[in-house]
Amino acid sequence: MRDAFIVGVGQTPVGEHWDRGLRELGAEAVRAALDDAGFETAGALYVGNMLGGCVNGQENVATLVADAAGLLPVEALKIEAACASGGAAVRAAALAVAAGACDVAVAAGVEKMTDGAPDGIIAGLATAADQDYEASHGMSFVALSALLMRRYMHETGAPREAFAPFAVVAHANAATNGNAMFREPISAEQFGRSALVASPIGIFDAAPVCDGAAAVVVCSQEALRAHHKPVRIAAASVATDTIALAARSDVLTLSAAAVSAQKAYAAAGRGPKDMDLFEAHDAFTIITALSLEACGFAKRGEALRLAAEGCIAPGGCIPISTFGGLKARGHPVGASGAYQIVEAALQLRGEGGENQVKGARRALAQSVGGHGSVAVTHILEA
Amino acid sequence: MDLARYHRLRSAYYRLEGQRCTSCQAVQFPARTTCRICRARTLEPHRLSGRGTVYSHAEVGPAPRGFASPYLVALVQLEEGLLLTAQLTDVDPEDVMIGLPVEMVTRRIQEHGAQGYLVYGYKFRPILPRRKAS
């Protein structure tokens, strides 16, 4: 397999884009990434998207975006892996280049959530869960997270407030990201006072419903140009776990996340200590905690201590969600994995601006779908 | 829920029917082609006890389409050891705690299916004190 490099990144601001739909958002990110790379077109386009069918009534999203971005007759396929769709699209592009199927591939993620009515979006998100044994019993995505969080609190003895650092750090990082949805810092006190959505989950535990698109251009060594600042995809791996939470031998171990991280570490010949930053799937604070544990940054039940010690903040031992993460940059679900890769690549290019992690050479990015039923892990190197 | 799907799920929804592996004796729910523990294919239908304790619980605020909040959901740990996701019923939210003994009951799960019928299935309630046989 050949090496694959990220040589272009593009993103739209995350938020409520009332004047733009899937096609406009997707095309803008794809064109921006190609412009950044200095390429006119690509050999393949992979588009991560989760809710196009059930919220927007639009499948065949990759063709839609290829058409809008002026890339026809390019090979274009939608990649769906619930909230990990964007990450999975990057993996598909990396595979296409590494296998020699093409020299230049574009991976994008796009989601247009705000067109849907709230109960339709809640039902749409729940399609990532087990329809027969979770969603059909009235389980919402937030409720599943609440079940995890309450059990975690029960086993560790941690209070709700102990999850505050994840949200506080995410909001602080988003404040200096011009593409972030929430650019207002919050305090631990505000976190503690926040309204409960599904106890013990409060509004500051959860990522917002929003729209956005992000894209990266992946190319082979042969296609690199002098002006590129290539970021090597040192590893890209996917693993799965039971679709229903209840069927897992330990619901507090995200084993798909752990297995995909172990595969990625092995492929890159690296370990957690070699990572300079971690773009975590912080859709809920409990998922951030479980992801940190799954990726080897903390032992089971010890992620909150890591957070309390300031380890996850800028300058800490493993800064996370460096541009605000899903929590505060925003979580347009099928696009979030692509945003993570864009942000990690910016860090490794030294173009993080006020959010730059000093001396960042290696980044871990992990996109988790369906409460850990699928996980995509990337290791990127400057 | 579509009618054919509801029909397909009847043994699981009405009788909590899962499987038992005749190789390693593990019990699983729902049914699969292989045992989730030893991967053997020697599986036979097995009806779960329907008794257990609350492993974790939550109150659903904003509800998905087809459901009216608030209602309680839980991971229930059955006597057999495995977990099940279900709604809790016949209990005040403030009385629910991890470890609460619960039992299966058959209740209405969805108000209306797409064609207007009612979907029934399992929920869990606190175990009621049993009357002595007279």
Side-chain angles (χ1 to χ4, degrees):
Chain A
M1 298 280 264
R2 306 189 295 178
D3 273 342
F5 300 87
I6 294 168
V7 293
V9 299
Q11 59 182 316
T12 73
V14 177
E16 298 176 353
H17 290 284
W18 301 111
D19 54 349
R20 283 189 286 180
L22 279 173
R23 74 175 78 216
E24 291 87 359
L25 292 166
E28 181 182 327
V30 167
R31 287 295 359 158
L34 282 166
D35 288 348
D36 185 42
F39 292 136
E40 187 51 39
T41 189
L45 170 68
Y46 301 101
V47 180
N49 173 257
M50 174 183 170
L51 299 172
C54 60
V55 168
N56 310 108
Q58 180 69 65
E59 289 289 7
N60 207 3
V61 169
T63 304
L64 180 86
V65 172
D67 186 356
L71 296 180
L72 301 177
V74 69
E75 166 185 333
L77 299 171
K78 167 177 162 172
I79 306 287
E80 194 275 316
C83 296
S85 299
V90 176
R91 154 84 165 155
L95 271 181
V97 169
C102 57
D103 280 321
V104 179
V106 177
V110 59
E111 208 69 76
K112 177 68 196 171
M113 301 173 78
T114 60
D115 280 356
D119 63 343
I121 293 169
I122 294 168
L125 291 171
T127 61
D130 187 321
Q131 275 301 310
D132 291 343
Y133 298 102
E134 292 180 325
S136 291
H137 294 262
M139 215 61 55
S140 68
F141 223 57
V142 180
L144 286 165
S145 296
L147 293 172
L148 283 178
M149 187 168 170
R150 188 182 301 280
R151 185 68 199 182
Y152 192 94
M153 290 163 61
H154 175 78
E155 290 194 15
T156 61
R160 217 182 78 72
E161 292 69 30
F163 290 82
F166 298 123
V168 171
V169 166
H171 277 258
N173 290 344
T176 47
N177 174 9
N179 290 309
M181 182 167 185
F182 297 134
R183 301 188 58 195
E184 291 289 320
I186 62 165
S187 66
E189 290 69 34
Q190 284 172 299
F191 176 91
R193 288 199 307 267
S194 64
L196 294 175
V197 187
S199 180
I201 303 261
I203 54 165
F204 284 134
D205 287 292
V209 168
C210 52
D211 313 322
V216 294
V217 176
V218 180
C219 78
S220 63
Q221 181 108 42
E222 292 73 25
L224 288 177
R225 295 184 186 175
H227 66 87
H228 286 154
K229 290 190 206 168
V231 170
R232 191 171 75 92
I233 301 176
S237 60
V238 183
T240 49
D241 197 358
T242 61
I243 188 158
L245 263 190
R248 299 181 192 165
S249 50
D250 175 14
V251 294
L252 295 185
T253 296
L254 296 184
S255 84
V259 171
S260 75
Q262 286 155 12
K263 285 163 75 174
Y265 289 141
R270 303 289 175 184
K273 287 191 169 56
D274 299 317
M275 300 300 129
D276 298 315
L277 62 107
F278 177 31
E279 290 304 330
H281 191 87
D282 54 345
F284 295 93
T285 53
I286 178 63
I287 302 296
T288 320
L290 297 178
S291 297
L292 282 163
E293 294 173 11
C295 292
F297 296 111
K299 293 193 177 114
R300 189 183 188 282
E302 293 185 2
L304 298 181
R305 190 166 58 78
L306 197 75
E309 290 168 355
C311 213
I312 60 168
C317 56
I318 184 69
I320 68 166
S321 307
T322 62
F323 284 88
L326 282 57
K327 171 69 201 80
R329 172 244 293 135
H331 184 25
V333 286
S336 288
Y339 273 97
Q340 291 179 318
I341 300 297
V342 165
E343 292 160 351
L346 287 172
Q347 290 285 7
L348 299 178
R349 281 164 36 164
E351 296 174 3
E354 291 181 71
N355 296 66
Q356 182 65 44
V357 174
K358 288 195 181 65
R361 298 223 37 242
R362 268 181 221 101
L364 187 74
Q366 187 175 66
S367 199
V368 178
H371 288 95
S373 57
V374 56
V376 184
T377 306
H378 284 88
I379 293 175
L380 306 184
E381 286 184 355
Chain B
M1 177 181 294
D2 295 323
L3 191 57
R5 187 155 139 220
Y6 181 27
H7 175 74
R8 199 158 64 232
L9 290 166
R10 64 196 181 282
S11 59
Y13 273 30
Y14 293 166
R15 310 194 313 120
L16 270 190
E17 190 175 289
Q19 291 167 320
R20 192 178 66 87
C21 174
T22 57
S23 296
C24 76
Q25 309 307 317
V27 172
Q28 64 185 12
F29 181 91
R32 294 175 174 77
T33 56
T34 57
C35 170
R36 72 194 168 94
I37 303 297
C38 75
R39 302 198 180 192
R41 298 191 181 195
T42 49
L43 298 160
E44 60 183 22
H46 178 81
R47 194 171 170 180
L48 302 175
S49 67
R51 288 182 305 276
T53 55
V54 171
Y55 188 80
S56 191
H57 58 96
E59 184 167 336
V60 176
R65 190 167 285 162
F67 293 87
S69 60
Y71 52 92
L72 298 169
V73 295
L75 288 171
V76 172
Q77 185 161 39
L78 297 177
E79 286 175 351
E80 296 89 334
L82 53 81
L83 298 181
L84 203 68
T85 310
Q87 287 189 30
L88 297 176
T89 187
D90 302 0
V91 64
D92 289 329
E94 54 269 27
D95 294 333
V96 179
M97 64 188 78
I98 290 176
L100 178 75
V102 290
E103 63 188 358
M104 176 205 162
V105 286
T106 299
R107 291 294 162 82
R108 182 189 301 183
I109 291 185
Q110 289 185 12
E111 292 283 325
H112 296 287
Q115 286 97 19
Y117 49 83
L118 303 176
V119 174
Y120 292 89
Y122 52 84
K123 292 187 183 182
F124 283 77
R125 70 175 176 200
I127 290 179
L128 297 178
R130 301 284 174 217
R131 281 187 199 157
K132 285 180 186 161
S134 51

